[in-house]
Amino acid sequence: MANKSTSKTDKAERAARAAIDEAATAVSRAKKAAKSLPSKQARSLDDYIDDARSAADVSKKKVKRKPKKVAKAAERAARRLERAVAKAVAAAERKARLRAEARRAAAEAEKAQQDAAARAAEAKALRKAARRAEKEAARAELDAAAADESLAAELTAPAAAAEVAEEDDAIVTAADAPEASPAAASDAPDTSAAADADLTELTVAQLRARARDAGHTGYSRLTKAQLIDLLS
């Protein structure tokens, strides 16, 4: 009976020492994990580490006297510490993940803002280029109109100058012609019909001179046929 009782005692003591070792190992792992955790999560492990350390730090005398109690306390402290470490690590990982997502979202927002700014700048440049093109087109139209007017003026100038020259020649011719005396006029035969017949033989300048002498107006732009009709 004594051997059997001693065997049970030895088994209980071995279980207690195993539980003590497990608690001590849990303390070591928790302290190592705490170094990689944020300060808030690391501080949350302090009480659990102290409990596990106390459960592991028992005297041999106490192990011999109450091995089951020692084992139970050490196992409970180790489990509580391991759960606390797992919870703290999960919280730290979740926080790190949320921070990473926040940084990624901020980067994406910044990129989107930069893209929007680039598109706005591009649109502004396009509007500016369009306005510049419109101004250049309007200026080109004005230049073309001015060129057309200049060309038209150049084309009509010789004709106008010729008309003025013809009128001047007619004036000079009329001024140089001797005046007929009243007697000569009365003695001259009536040649009106002959004069009308000879209109076709006169030049445009001579016809215009006759039109002027006859008191007509607006004859400077008439053709020869129109002048003949006017004087007939």
Side-chain angles (χ1 to χ4, degrees):
M1 293 293 295
N3 291 336
K4 189 175 182 180
S5 177
T6 302
S7 177
K8 288 182 179 181
T9 302
D10 293 341
K11 185 177 181 181
E13 290 177 2
R14 286 195 299 271
R17 283 192 290 271
I20 290 171
D21 292 340
E22 182 180 356
T25 301
V27 170
S28 179
R29 285 197 297 263
K31 292 174 68 175
K32 184 177 180 180
K35 293 180 181 180
S36 62
L37 294 174
S39 58
K40 184 177 180 179
Q41 280 75 24
R43 286 195 301 270
S44 67
L45 299 177
D46 290 344
D47 292 340
Y48 298 98
I49 290 174
D50 291 340
D51 290 343
R53 184 184 292 115
S54 297
D57 188 16
V58 295
S59 64
K60 294 180 180 180
K61 182 178 180 181
K62 187 174 182 179
V63 171
K64 285 183 174 295
R65 283 192 300 108
K66 298 179 179 180
K68 291 183 179 181
K69 185 176 181 180
V70 169
K72 186 176 181 179
E75 290 172 357
R76 184 173 60 250
R79 285 194 300 270
R80 290 179 62 197
L81 179 56
E82 288 172 354
R83 285 195 297 268
V85 170
K87 184 177 180 181
V89 170
E93 290 177 349
R94 182 171 61 256
K95 186 174 183 179
R97 183 172 63 254
L98 292 175
R99 285 182 175 176
E101 291 176 356
R103 286 193 297 268
R104 183 168 59 253
E108 291 176 354
E110 183 178 1
K111 186 177 184 302
Q113 185 176 4
Q114 292 175 352
D115 292 342
R119 287 193 296 269
E122 184 179 358
K124 183 178 180 181
L126 290 175
R127 289 194 297 271
K128 186 176 180 181
R131 288 194 296 270
R132 184 167 57 251
E134 290 177 356
K135 291 181 180 179
E136 292 177 356
R139 190 180 300 112
E141 290 181 0
L142 292 176
D143 293 343
D148 291 341
E149 292 178 359
S150 177
L151 179 59
E154 291 177 0
L155 292 176
T156 56
E163 291 179 358
V164 171
E166 289 178 356
E167 290 181 0
D168 291 342
D169 291 342
I171 292 171
V172 171
T173 301
D176 293 341
E179 293 183 359
S181 64
S186 61
D187 294 339
D190 186 9
T191 58
S192 59
D196 291 340
D198 294 339
L199 289 176
T200 58
E201 297 179 359
L202 298 178
T203 65
V204 172
Q206 292 171 337
L207 292 171
R208 288 176 178 169
R210 288 198 177 191
R212 182 178 62 254
D213 293 340
H216 295 294
T217 59
Y219 56 83
S220 61
R221 296 184 178 276
L222 298 180
T223 63
K224 185 175 182 178
Q226 291 171 337
L227 288 168
I228 291 173
D229 291 339
L230 179 65
L231 295 173
S232 298

Coordinates of all heavy atoms in Angstrom, one line a residue, residues 34-123:
A34 N 5.3 40.3 -26.3 CA 5.0 41.6 -25.9 C 5.9 42.6 -26.5 O 5.6 43.8 -26.7 CB 5.0 41.7 -24.4
K35 N 7.2 42.2 -26.8 CA 8.2 43.1 -27.4 C 7.8 43.6 -28.8 O 8.2 44.6 -29.2 CB 9.5 42.4 -27.4 CG 10.1 42.2 -26.0 CD 11.5 41.5 -26.1 CE 12.1 41.3 -24.8 NZ 13.4 40.6 -24.9
S36 N 7.0 42.7 -29.5 CA 6.6 43.0 -30.9 C 5.2 43.7 -30.9 O 4.7 44.0 -32.0 CB 6.6 41.8 -31.7 OG 5.7 40.8 -31.3
L37 N 4.6 43.8 -29.8 CA 3.2 44.4 -29.8 C 3.3 45.9 -29.4 O 4.2 46.4 -28.8 CB 2.4 43.7 -28.7 CG 2.1 42.2 -28.9 CD1 1.3 41.6 -27.7 CD2 1.2 42.0 -30.2
P38 N 2.2 46.6 -29.8 CA 2.1 48.0 -29.4 C 2.0 48.1 -27.9 O 1.7 47.1 -27.2 CB 0.8 48.5 -30.1 CG 0.6 47.6 -31.2 CD 1.2 46.2 -30.8
S39 N 2.4 49.2 -27.4 CA 2.5 49.4 -25.9 C 1.2 49.1 -25.2 O 1.2 48.4 -24.1 CB 2.9 50.8 -25.6 OG 2.0 51.7 -26.1
K40 N 0.0 49.4 -25.8 CA -1.2 49.2 -25.2 C -1.5 47.7 -25.0 O -1.9 47.2 -24.0 CB -2.4 49.9 -26.0 CG -3.7 49.7 -25.3 CD -4.8 50.5 -26.1 CE -6.1 50.4 -25.5 NZ -7.1 51.2 -26.3
Q41 N -1.3 46.9 -26.1 CA -1.5 45.5 -26.1 C -0.5 44.8 -25.2 O -0.8 43.8 -24.5 CB -1.5 44.9 -27.5 CG -2.7 45.0 -28.3 CD -2.9 46.5 -28.8 OE1 -1.9 47.2 -28.9 NE2 -4.2 46.8 -29.1
A42 N 0.7 45.3 -25.2 CA 1.8 44.7 -24.3 C 1.4 44.9 -22.9 O 1.6 44.0 -22.0 CB 3.1 45.4 -24.7
R43 N 0.9 46.1 -22.5 CA 0.6 46.3 -21.1 C -0.6 45.5 -20.6 O -0.7 45.1 -19.5 CB 0.2 47.8 -20.9 CG 1.4 48.7 -20.9 CD 1.1 50.1 -20.3 NE 0.0 50.7 -21.1 CZ 0.2 51.5 -22.1 NH1 1.5 51.7 -22.6 NH2 -0.8 52.1 -22.8
S44 N -1.5 45.1 -21.6 CA -2.6 44.3 -21.2 C -2.2 42.9 -20.8 O -3.0 42.2 -20.2 CB -3.6 44.2 -22.4 OG -3.0 43.5 -23.5
L45 N -1.0 42.5 -21.1 CA -0.5 41.1 -20.7 C 0.2 41.1 -19.3 O 0.5 40.0 -18.8 CB 0.5 40.6 -21.8 CG -0.1 40.5 -23.2 CD1 1.1 40.0 -24.1 CD2 -1.2 39.5 -23.2
D46 N 0.4 42.3 -18.8 CA 1.2 42.3 -17.5 C 0.6 41.5 -16.4 O 1.3 40.7 -15.8 CB 1.4 43.8 -17.1 CG 2.3 44.5 -18.0 OD1 3.0 43.9 -18.8 OD2 2.3 45.8 -17.9
D47 N -0.7 41.6 -16.2 CA -1.3 40.9 -15.1 C -1.3 39.4 -15.3 O -1.1 38.6 -14.4 CB -2.8 41.4 -14.9 CG -2.9 42.8 -14.4 OD1 -1.9 43.3 -13.8 OD2 -3.9 43.4 -14.6
Y48 N -1.5 39.0 -16.5 CA -1.5 37.5 -16.9 C -0.1 37.0 -16.7 O 0.1 35.8 -16.3 CB -2.0 37.3 -18.3 CG -3.5 37.7 -18.5 CD1 -3.8 39.0 -19.0 CD2 -4.5 36.9 -18.1 CE1 -5.1 39.4 -19.2 CE2 -5.9 37.3 -18.2 CZ -6.1 38.6 -18.8 OH -7.4 38.9 -19.0
I49 N 0.9 37.8 -17.1 CA 2.3 37.3 -16.9 C 2.6 37.1 -15.5 O 3.2 36.1 -15.0 CB 3.2 38.3 -17.6 CG1 3.1 38.2 -19.2 CG2 4.7 38.0 -17.3 CD1 3.9 39.2 -19.9
D50 N 2.2 38.1 -14.7 CA 2.5 38.0 -13.2 C 1.8 36.8 -12.6 O 2.4 36.1 -11.8 CB 2.0 39.3 -12.5 CG 2.8 40.5 -12.9 OD1 4.0 40.3 -13.4 OD2 2.3 41.7 -12.8
D51 N 0.5 36.5 -13.0 CA -0.2 35.4 -12.4 C 0.5 34.1 -12.8 O 0.7 33.2 -12.0 CB -1.6 35.3 -12.9 CG -2.4 36.5 -12.3 OD1 -2.0 37.0 -11.3 OD2 -3.5 36.8 -12.9
A52 N 1.0 34.0 -14.1 CA 1.6 32.7 -14.5 C 3.0 32.6 -13.8 O 3.4 31.5 -13.5 CB 1.8 32.8 -16.0
R53 N 3.7 33.7 -13.7 CA 5.0 33.7 -13.0 C 4.8 33.2 -11.6 O 5.6 32.4 -11.0 CB 5.6 35.0 -13.1 CG 7.1 35.0 -12.5 CD 7.7 36.4 -12.4 NE 8.0 36.9 -13.8 CZ 7.4 37.9 -14.4 NH1 6.4 38.6 -13.7 NH2 7.7 38.3 -15.6
S54 N 3.8 33.7 -10.9 CA 3.5 33.3 -9.5 C 3.2 31.9 -9.4 O 3.6 31.1 -8.5 CB 2.4 34.2 -8.9 OG 2.8 35.5 -8.9
A55 N 2.4 31.4 -10.4 CA 2.0 30.0 -10.4 C 3.2 29.1 -10.6 O 3.2 27.9 -10.1 CB 0.9 29.7 -11.5
A56 N 4.2 29.6 -11.4 CA 5.4 28.7 -11.7 C 6.4 28.9 -10.6 O 7.2 28.0 -10.4 CB 6.0 29.2 -13.0
D57 N 6.3 29.9 -9.8 CA 7.4 30.2 -8.8 C 6.9 29.6 -7.4 O 6.4 30.4 -6.5 CB 7.7 31.7 -8.7 CG 8.9 31.9 -7.8 OD1 9.6 31.0 -7.5 OD2 9.0 33.1 -7.4
V58 N 6.9 28.3 -7.3 CA 6.5 27.7 -6.0 C 7.6 26.8 -5.5 O 8.5 26.4 -6.2 CB 5.2 26.8 -6.2 CG1 4.0 27.6 -6.6 CG2 5.5 25.7 -7.3
S59 N 7.6 26.7 -4.2 CA 8.7 25.9 -3.5 C 8.5 24.4 -3.7 O 7.3 23.9 -4.0 CB 8.7 26.3 -2.1 OG 7.5 25.9 -1.4
K60 N 9.5 23.7 -3.6 CA 9.4 22.2 -3.7 C 8.6 21.7 -2.6 O 7.9 20.6 -2.8 CB 10.8 21.6 -3.7 CG 11.7 22.0 -4.9 CD 13.1 21.3 -4.8 CE 13.9 21.7 -6.0 NZ 15.3 21.0 -5.9
K61 N 8.7 22.3 -1.5 CA 7.9 21.9 -0.3 C 6.4 21.9 -0.6 O 5.6 21.0 -0.3 CB 8.2 22.7 0.9 CG 7.5 22.3 2.2 CD 8.0 23.2 3.3 CE 7.3 22.8 4.6 NZ 7.7 23.7 5.7
K62 N 6.0 23.0 -1.3 CA 4.6 23.2 -1.6 C 4.2 22.2 -2.7 O 3.0 21.7 -2.6 CB 4.3 24.6 -2.1 CG 2.8 24.9 -2.3 CD 2.6 26.4 -2.6 CE 1.2 26.7 -2.8 NZ 0.9 28.1 -3.1
V63 N 5.1 21.9 -3.6 CA 4.8 20.9 -4.6 C 4.6 19.5 -4.0 O 3.6 18.8 -4.4 CB 5.9 20.8 -5.7 CG1 5.7 19.7 -6.6 CG2 6.0 22.1 -6.4
K64 N 5.4 19.2 -3.0 CA 5.2 17.9 -2.3 C 3.9 17.9 -1.5 O 3.3 16.8 -1.4 CB 6.4 17.6 -1.4 CG 7.7 17.2 -2.2 CD 8.8 16.9 -1.3 CE 10.0 16.4 -2.0 NZ 9.7 15.1 -2.6
R65 N 3.6 19.0 -0.9 CA 2.4 19.0 0.0 C 1.1 19.0 -0.8 O 0.2 18.3 -0.5 CB 2.5 20.1 1.0 CG 3.5 19.9 2.2 CD 3.3 20.9 3.3 NE 3.6 22.3 2.8 CZ 2.6 23.2 2.7 NH1 1.4 22.9 2.9 NH2 2.9 24.4 2.3
K66 N 1.1 19.9 -1.8 CA -0.2 20.1 -2.6 C 0.1 20.1 -4.1 O -0.1 21.1 -4.8 CB -0.8 21.4 -2.2 CG -1.2 21.5 -0.7 CD -1.9 22.8 -0.4 CE -2.3 22.9 1.1 NZ -2.9 24.2 1.4
P67 N 0.5 18.9 -4.6 CA 0.9 18.9 -6.0 C -0.3 19.1 -6.9 O -0.1 19.8 -8.0 CB 1.5 17.5 -6.2 CG 0.9 16.7 -5.1 CD 0.7 17.6 -3.9
K68 N -1.4 18.6 -6.6 CA -2.6 18.8 -7.5 C -3.0 20.3 -7.5 O -3.4 20.8 -8.6 CB -3.7 17.9 -7.0 CG -3.5 16.4 -7.2 CD -4.7 15.6 -6.8 CE -4.5 14.1 -7.0 NZ -5.7 13.4 -6.6
K69 N -3.0 20.9 -6.4 CA -3.4 22.3 -6.3 C -2.4 23.2 -7.1 O -2.8 24.1 -7.9 CB -3.5 22.7 -4.9 CG -4.0 24.2 -4.7 CD -4.1 24.5 -3.3 CE -4.7 25.9 -3.1 NZ -4.8 26.3 -1.7
V70 N -1.1 22.8 -6.9 CA -0.1 23.6 -7.7 C -0.2 23.4 -9.2 O -0.2 24.3 -10.0 CB 1.3 23.1 -7.2 CG1 2.4 23.7 -8.1 CG2 1.6 23.6 -5.8
A71 N -0.5 22.1 -9.6 CA -0.6 21.8 -11.0 C -1.9 22.5 -11.6 O -1.8 23.1 -12.7 CB -0.8 20.3 -11.2
K72 N -2.9 22.5 -10.9 CA -4.2 23.2 -11.4 C -4.0 24.7 -11.5 O -4.4 25.3 -12.5 CB -5.3 22.9 -10.4 CG -6.6 23.4 -10.9 CD -7.7 22.9 -9.9 CE -9.1 23.4 -10.4 NZ -10.2 23.0 -9.5
A73 N -3.3 25.3 -10.5 CA -3.1 26.7 -10.6 C -2.2 27.1 -11.7 O -2.4 28.1 -12.4 CB -2.5 27.2 -9.2
A74 N -1.1 26.3 -11.9 CA -0.2 26.6 -13.0 C -0.8 26.4 -14.4 O -0.6 27.2 -15.3 CB 1.1 25.7 -12.8
E75 N -1.6 25.3 -14.5 CA -2.3 25.1 -15.8 C -3.2 26.2 -16.1 O -3.3 26.7 -17.3 CB -3.0 23.7 -15.8 CG -2.0 22.5 -15.7 CD -2.8 21.2 -15.5 OE1 -4.0 21.3 -15.3 OE2 -2.2 20.2 -15.5
R76 N -4.0 26.6 -15.1 CA -5.0 27.7 -15.3 C -4.3 29.0 -15.7 O -4.7 29.7 -16.6 CB -5.8 27.9 -14.0 CG -7.0 28.9 -14.2 CD -7.9 28.9 -13.0 NE -7.2 29.3 -11.8 CZ -7.0 28.4 -10.8 NH1 -7.4 27.1 -10.9 NH2 -6.4 28.8 -9.7
A77 N -3.2 29.3 -15.0 CA -2.5 30.6 -15.3 C -1.9 30.5 -16.7 O -1.9 31.5 -17.4 CB -1.4 30.8 -14.2
A78 N -1.3 29.4 -17.0 CA -0.7 29.2 -18.4 C -1.8 29.4 -19.5 O -1.5 30.1 -20.5 CB 0.0 27.9 -18.5
R79 N -3.0 28.8 -19.3 CA -4.0 28.9 -20.3 C -4.5 30.3 -20.4 O -4.7 30.9 -21.5 CB -5.2 28.0 -20.0 CG -4.9 26.5 -20.2 CD -6.2 25.7 -20.2 NE -6.8 25.7 -18.9 CZ -6.6 24.9 -17.9 NH1 -5.7 23.9 -18.1 NH2 -7.3 25.0 -16.8
R80 N -4.7 31.0 -19.3 CA -5.2 32.4 -19.3 C -4.2 33.3 -20.0 O -4.5 34.2 -20.8 CB -5.4 32.9 -17.9 CG -6.6 32.2 -17.2 CD -6.8 32.7 -15.8 NE -7.0 34.2 -15.8 CZ -6.9 35.0 -14.7 NH1 -6.4 34.4 -13.6 NH2 -7.1 36.2 -14.8
L81 N -2.9 33.0 -19.7 CA -1.8 33.9 -20.3 C -1.8 33.6 -21.9 O -1.7 34.6 -22.6 CB -0.5 33.5 -19.7 CG 0.7 34.3 -20.3 CD1 0.5 35.8 -20.2 CD2 2.0 33.9 -19.6
E82 N -1.9 32.4 -22.3 CA -1.9 32.0 -23.7 C -3.1 32.7 -24.4 O -2.9 33.2 -25.6 CB -1.9 30.5 -23.9 CG -0.5 29.9 -23.5 CD -0.6 28.4 -23.5 OE1 -1.7 27.8 -23.7 OE2 0.5 27.7 -23.3
R83 N -4.3 32.6 -23.8 CA -5.4 33.2 -24.4 C -5.2 34.8 -24.5 O -5.6 35.4 -25.5 CB -6.7 32.9 -23.6 CG -7.2 31.5 -23.8 CD -8.6 31.3 -23.3 NE -8.7 31.6 -21.9 CZ -8.6 30.7 -21.0 NH1 -8.4 29.4 -21.3 NH2 -8.8 31.0 -19.7
A84 N -4.7 35.3 -23.5 CA -4.5 36.8 -23.5 C -3.5 37.2 -24.6 O -3.6 38.2 -25.3 CB -4.0 37.3 -22.1
V85 N -2.4 36.4 -24.7 CA -1.4 36.7 -25.7 C -2.0 36.6 -27.1 O -1.8 37.4 -28.0 CB -0.2 35.7 -25.6 CG1 0.7 35.8 -26.8 CG2 0.6 36.0 -24.3
A86 N -2.8 35.5 -27.4 CA -3.5 35.3 -28.6 C -4.4 36.5 -28.9 O -4.5 37.0 -30.1 CB -4.3 34.0 -28.7
K87 N -5.2 36.9 -27.9 CA -6.1 38.1 -28.1 C -5.3 39.4 -28.4 O -5.7 40.1 -29.3 CB -6.9 38.2 -26.8 CG -8.0 39.3 -26.9 CD -8.8 39.4 -25.7 CE -9.9 40.4 -25.7 NZ -10.7 40.5 -24.5
A88 N -4.2 39.6 -27.7 CA -3.5 40.8 -27.9 C -2.8 40.8 -29.3 O -2.8 41.8 -30.0 CB -2.4 40.9 -26.8
V89 N -2.3 39.6 -29.7 CA -1.7 39.5 -31.0 C -2.7 39.8 -32.1 O -2.5 40.5 -33.1 CB -1.0 38.2 -31.2 CG1 -0.6 37.9 -32.7 CG2 0.2 38.1 -30.3
A90 N -3.9 39.2 -31.9 CA -5.0 39.4 -32.9 C -5.4 40.8 -33.0 O -5.7 41.4 -34.1 CB -6.2 38.5 -32.6
A91 N -5.5 41.5 -31.8 CA -5.9 42.9 -31.8 C -4.8 43.7 -32.5 O -5.1 44.7 -33.3 CB -6.1 43.4 -30.4
A92 N -3.6 43.4 -32.2 CA -2.5 44.2 -32.9 C -2.5 43.9 -34.4 O -2.3 44.9 -35.2 CB -1.1 43.7 -32.3
E93 N -2.7 42.7 -34.8 CA -2.8 42.4 -36.2 C -3.9 43.1 -36.9 O -3.8 43.7 -38.0 CB -2.9 40.9 -36.5 CG -1.6 40.2 -36.1 CD -1.7 38.7 -36.3 OE1 -2.9 38.2 -36.5 OE2 -0.7 38.0 -36.2
R94 N -5.1 43.1 -36.2 CA -6.3 43.8 -36.7 C -6.0 45.3 -36.9 O -6.3 45.9 -37.9 CB -7.5 43.5 -35.9 CG -8.8 44.2 -36.4 CD -10.0 43.7 -35.6 NE -9.9 44.1 -34.2 CZ -9.7 43.2 -33.2 NH1 -9.4 41.9 -33.5 NH2 -9.6 43.6 -32.0
K95 N -5.4 45.8 -35.8 CA -5.1 47.3 -35.9 C -4.1 47.6 -37.0 O -4.2 48.6 -37.7 CB -4.5 47.7 -34.5 CG -4.3 49.2 -34.4 CD -3.9 49.6 -33.0 CE -3.7 51.1 -32.8 NZ -3.3 51.4 -31.4
A96 N -3.1 46.7 -37.1 CA -2.1 46.9 -38.2 C -2.8 46.8 -39.6 O -2.5 47.6 -40.5 CB -1.0 45.9 -38.1
R97 N -3.7 45.9 -39.7 CA -4.4 45.7 -41.0 C -5.3 46.9 -41.3 O -5.3 47.4 -42.4 CB -5.3 44.4 -40.9 CG -6.0 44.2 -42.2 CD -6.7 42.8 -42.2 NE -7.7 42.7 -41.2 CZ -7.6 42.1 -40.0 NH1 -6.5 41.4 -39.7 NH2 -8.6 42.1 -39.1
L98 N -5.9 47.4 -40.2 CA -6.8 48.6 -40.4 C -5.9 49.8 -40.8 O -6.3 50.6 -41.7 CB -7.6 48.9 -39.2 CG -8.7 47.9 -38.8 CD1 -9.3 48.2 -37.5 CD2 -9.7 47.8 -39.9
R99 N -4.8 49.9 -40.2 CA -3.9 51.0 -40.5 C -3.4 50.9 -41.9 O -3.3 51.9 -42.7 CB -2.7 51.1 -39.5 CG -3.1 51.6 -38.1 CD -1.9 51.7 -37.3 NE -2.2 52.3 -36.0 CZ -1.3 52.4 -35.0 NH1 0.0 51.9 -35.1 NH2 -1.6 53.0 -33.8
A100 N -3.0 49.7 -42.3 CA -2.6 49.5 -43.7 C -3.7 49.8 -44.7 O -3.4 50.5 -45.7 CB -2.1 48.0 -43.9
E101 N -4.9 49.4 -44.4 CA -6.0 49.7 -45.3 C -6.3 51.2 -45.3 O -6.6 51.8 -46.4 CB -7.3 49.0 -44.8 CG -7.2 47.5 -45.0 CD -8.4 46.8 -44.4 OE1 -9.3 47.5 -43.8 OE2 -8.6 45.6 -44.5
A102 N -6.1 51.9 -44.2 CA -6.3 53.3 -44.1 C -5.2 54.0 -45.0 O -5.5 55.0 -45.7 CB -6.3 53.8 -42.7
R103 N -4.0 53.6 -44.8 CA -2.9 54.1 -45.6 C -3.1 53.9 -47.1 O -2.9 54.8 -48.0 CB -1.5 53.6 -45.2 CG -1.0 54.1 -43.9 CD 0.4 53.7 -43.7 NE 0.6 52.3 -43.6 CZ 0.6 51.6 -42.5 NH1 0.4 52.2 -41.3 NH2 0.8 50.3 -42.5
R104 N -3.6 52.7 -47.4 CA -3.9 52.4 -48.8 C -5.0 53.2 -49.4 O -4.9 53.8 -50.5 CB -4.2 50.9 -49.0 CG -4.4 50.5 -50.4 CD -4.5 49.0 -50.6 NE -5.5 48.4 -49.8 CZ -5.3 47.7 -48.7 NH1 -4.1 47.5 -48.2 NH2 -6.3 47.2 -48.0
A105 N -6.0 53.4 -48.6 CA -7.2 54.2 -49.0 C -6.7 55.7 -49.2 O -7.1 56.4 -50.1 CB -8.3 54.2 -48.0
A106 N -5.9 56.2 -48.2 CA -5.4 57.5 -48.3 C -4.5 57.7 -49.6 O -4.6 58.7 -50.3 CB -4.6 57.9 -47.1
A107 N -3.7 56.7 -49.9 CA -2.9 56.8 -51.1 C -3.7 56.8 -52.3 O -3.5 57.5 -53.3 CB -1.9 55.6 -51.1
E108 N -4.8 55.9 -52.3 CA -5.7 55.9 -53.5 C -6.4 57.2 -53.6 O -6.6 57.7 -54.8 CB -6.7 54.7 -53.3 CG -6.0 53.4 -53.5 CD -7.0 52.2 -53.2 OE1 -8.2 52.6 -52.8 OE2 -6.6 51.1 -53.4
A109 N -6.8 57.8 -52.5 CA -7.5 59.1 -52.6 C -6.6 60.2 -53.1 O -7.0 61.0 -53.9 CB -8.1 59.4 -51.2
E110 N -5.4 60.1 -52.6 CA -4.4 61.1 -53.1 C -4.1 61.0 -54.6 O -4.1 62.0 -55.3 CB -3.1 61.0 -52.3 CG -2.1 62.1 -52.7 CD -0.8 61.9 -51.9 OE1 -0.7 61.0 -51.0 OE2 0.1 62.7 -52.0
K111 N -4.0 59.7 -55.0 CA -3.8 59.5 -56.4 C -5.0 59.9 -57.3 O -4.9 60.6 -58.3 CB -3.5 58.0 -56.7 CG -3.2 57.7 -58.1 CD -2.8 56.2 -58.3 CE -2.4 55.9 -59.7 NZ -3.4 56.3 -60.7
A112 N -6.2 59.6 -56.7 CA -7.4 60.1 -57.4 C -7.5 61.6 -57.5 O -7.8 62.2 -58.5 CB -8.6 59.5 -56.7
Q113 N -7.1 62.3 -56.4 CA -7.0 63.7 -56.4 C -6.0 64.3 -57.4 O -6.3 65.2 -58.1 CB -6.7 64.2 -55.0 CG -6.8 65.7 -54.8 CD -6.6 66.2 -53.4 OE1 -6.3 65.3 -52.5 NE2 -6.7 67.4 -53.1
Q114 N -4.9 63.6 -57.5 CA -3.9 64.0 -58.4 C -4.3 63.8 -59.9 O -4.1 64.7 -60.7 CB -2.5 63.3 -58.2 CG -1.9 63.6 -56.9 CD -0.6 62.8 -56.6 OE1 -0.4 61.8 -57.3 NE2 0.1 63.1 -55.6
D115 N -5.0 62.7 -60.1 CA -5.5 62.4 -61.4 C -6.6 63.4 -61.8 O -6.6 63.9 -62.9 CB -6.1 61.0 -61.5 CG -5.1 59.9 -61.4 OD1 -3.9 60.2 -61.6 OD2 -5.4 58.8 -61.1
A116 N -7.5 63.8 -60.8 CA -8.5 64.8 -61.1 C -7.9 66.1 -61.4 O -8.3 66.8 -62.3 CB -9.4 64.9 -59.9
A117 N -6.8 66.5 -60.6 CA -6.1 67.7 -60.9 C -5.5 67.8 -62.3 O -5.5 68.8 -63.0 CB -5.1 68.0 -59.8
A118 N -4.9 66.6 -62.6 CA -4.3 66.5 -64.0 C -5.3 66.6 -65.1 O -5.1 67.3 -66.1 CB -3.5 65.2 -64.1
R119 N -6.5 66.0 -64.9 CA -7.5 66.1 -65.9 C -8.0 67.5 -66.0 O -8.3 68.0 -67.1 CB -8.7 65.1 -65.6 CG -8.3 63.7 -65.8 CD -9.5 62.8 -65.8 NE -10.2 62.8 -64.5 CZ -9.9 61.9 -63.5 NH1 -9.0 61.0 -63.7 NH2 -10.5 62.0 -62.3
A120 N -8.2 68.2 -64.8 CA -8.6 69.6 -64.8 C -7.7 70.5 -65.5 O -8.0 71.3 -66.3 CB -8.9 70.0 -63.4
A121 N -6.3 70.2 -65.3 CA -5.3 71.0 -65.9 C -5.3 70.8 -67.4 O -5.2 71.7 -68.2 CB -3.9 70.7 -65.4
E122 N -5.5 69.5 -67.8 CA -5.6 69.2 -69.3 C -6.8 69.8 -69.9 O -6.7 70.4 -71.0 CB -5.7 67.7 -69.4 CG -5.6 67.2 -70.9 CD -5.7 65.7 -71.0 OE1 -5.7 65.0 -70.0 OE2 -5.7 65.2 -72.1
A123 N -8.0 69.8 -69.2 CA -9.2 70.4 -69.8 C -9.0 71.9 -69.9 O -9.4 72.5 -70.9 CB -10.4 70.1 -68.9

